[in-house]
Amino acid sequence: MNKMLTAVMVAAAIGLGGCASTGKLSSGERLELYRAHAGAPVSSFRYFGSLNGWTELGDSALAVWTRPSEAWLLTLGGPCMDLSFAPAISVTNMMGQVSAKFDRVIVHGAGPAMSIPCQIQTIQPLDVKALRASEKELREAKLQEREEAQPAGSR
């Protein structure tokens, strides 16, 4: 069995366990799922002036979408204050290029007026199509588990 398939299966098992116990994936479980769908680290990516979306994956990682079908897993140099509660973020760049070990994520509006920028340590491209398929499978498994947990008379 190849390494990627094994990682996906482990992430799915973790995710299903999280769904079973709490009904929602924890940040750590989501991070494992995203890592299972991440490619090899790259030095930088093109930034088109605004993010199409972002997902916090704990206090030291996040996924950013630069286009609906293009996303990047960013691992930060340490805990990024208030990332889990942030209503918005921005990413520094140099002439439309975001680079690992140089650029930073800035959290906006979550806590104190002055945020400390969080350095981007690694950048990995995400297989968005496979990630969405895995997330859909996890949602369907959660729904099926919920239906099976209902008493027979209430269905």
Side-chain angles (χ1 to χ4, degrees), residues 2-150:
N2 73 30
K3 191 175 183 179
M4 182 64 169
L5 182 56
T6 302
V8 170
M9 291 173 60
V10 167
I14 290 170
L16 288 173
C19 289
S21 61
T22 66
K24 184 178 178 184
L25 294 178
S26 71
S27 293
E29 291 164 338
R30 280 195 323 269
L31 177 57
E32 288 307 311
L33 181 63
Y34 278 66
R35 282 185 176 150
H37 292 85
V42 296
S43 61
S44 63
F45 66 89
R46 291 280 305 147
Y47 180 66
F48 302 100
S50 66
L51 296 175
N52 196 28
W54 64 283
T55 302
E56 64 87 11
L57 301 168
D59 64 0
S60 58
L62 71 153
V64 295
W65 274 257
T66 50
R67 297 179 178 180
S69 61
E70 182 178 81
W72 307 90
L73 175 61
L74 307 181
T75 304
L76 306 174
C80 193
M81 300 275 287
D82 298 325
L83 184 60
S84 297
F85 309 103
I89 63 160
S90 60
V91 179
T92 64
N93 69 96
M94 179 64 78
M95 297 178 62
Q97 200 75 13
V98 175
S99 301
K101 298 188 181 4
F102 180 75
D103 284 302
R104 292 166 166 59
V105 171
I106 301 168
V107 176
H108 298 285
M114 187 169 179
S115 291
I116 299 171
C118 307
Q119 186 176 38
I120 299 169
Q121 286 297 308
T122 61
I123 300 170
Q124 294 173 268
L126 288 168
D127 183 342
V128 174
K129 191 174 185 178
L131 178 62
R132 287 182 178 151
S134 291
E135 288 174 328
K136 182 180 178 189
E137 288 175 19
L138 290 172
R139 282 191 305 273
E140 289 171 355
K142 179 180 167 185
L143 179 61
Q144 182 176 351
E145 186 176 298
R146 199 179 293 159
E147 288 172 356
E148 289 172 357
Q150 289 180 347

